[in-house]
Amino acid sequence: MSKIKYLVLGTALSMSAFVSTSSQAADGAGLYTAKMCQTCHGAEGKAPIMDSYPKLAGQNKDYLVQQMKDIKSGARNNGMAMAMKAMVANVSEEEMAAIAEYLSQLK
Ligand code: HEC
């Protein structure tokens, strides 16, 4: 009688093999590629694969960190947020800060 829901988060599961240790946390550029961010947001966050995905390069650091936290926590849960949520599940706040620092400095 119980309802069983199958959550298909294929990307999240397959990406978990790439989870890195916090020793890389200071390397935002390395983390951006190691966490597969470029597969949707493009190289250096400049060329998203879909028009409905955001460019990240040059965005304010604090804003980027806040959005990643909100998507991870579920506070931000709009149209495309599910695609993104699986990706930040394994990103720590320290790593988010390093990635945001890197992205904010891109021109
Ligand atoms: C599966 C595709 C996908 C991957 C991989 C992905 N994202 Fe996203 N990301 C999205 C989508 C889609 C959105 C927009 C969500 C929405 O509509 O609310 C988004 C939004 C964001 C935002 C908010 C941007 C804004 O302007 O509000 C940030 C920051 C971000 N992603 C960073 C990252 C980082 C860092 C990684 C790697 C850890 C990553 N993303 C990996 C799809 C992805």
Side-chain angles (χ1 to χ4, degrees):
M1 295 295 280
S2 64
K3 294 177 190 165
I4 300 171
K5 290 184 181 175
Y6 293 95
L7 279 181
V8 182
L9 294 172
T11 45
L13 294 174
S14 57
M15 292 312 146
S16 61
F18 292 95
V19 174
S20 56
T21 62
S22 58
S23 61
Q24 284 185 314
D27 181 8
L31 281 168
Y32 182 80
T33 12
K35 302 282 186 181
M36 312 300 286
C37 313
Q38 79 285 3
T39 58
C40 289
H41 294 285
E44 300 189 318
K46 292 177 178 171
I49 56 166
M50 308 235 303
D51 286 348
S52 54
Y53 289 10
K55 293 178 185 172
L56 305 174
Q59 185 55 271
N60 295 329
K61 180 187 171 186
D62 290 350
Y63 172 81
L64 290 171
V65 171
Q66 195 59 54
Q67 297 316 305
M68 286 186 266
K69 280 191 202 170
D70 285 353
I71 290 170
K72 184 175 182 176
S73 75
R76 173 171 165 178
N77 187 25
N78 46 304
M80 305 299 294
M82 267 313 278
M84 177 59 200
K85 190 172 182 183
M87 302 312 302
V88 279
N90 292 317
V91 182
S92 69
E93 286 193 20
E94 191 186 15
E95 291 168 332
M96 288 177 187
I99 294 171
E101 173 83 33
Y102 157 68
L103 289 169
S104 67
Q105 286 171 3
L106 293 171
K107 294 292 174 216

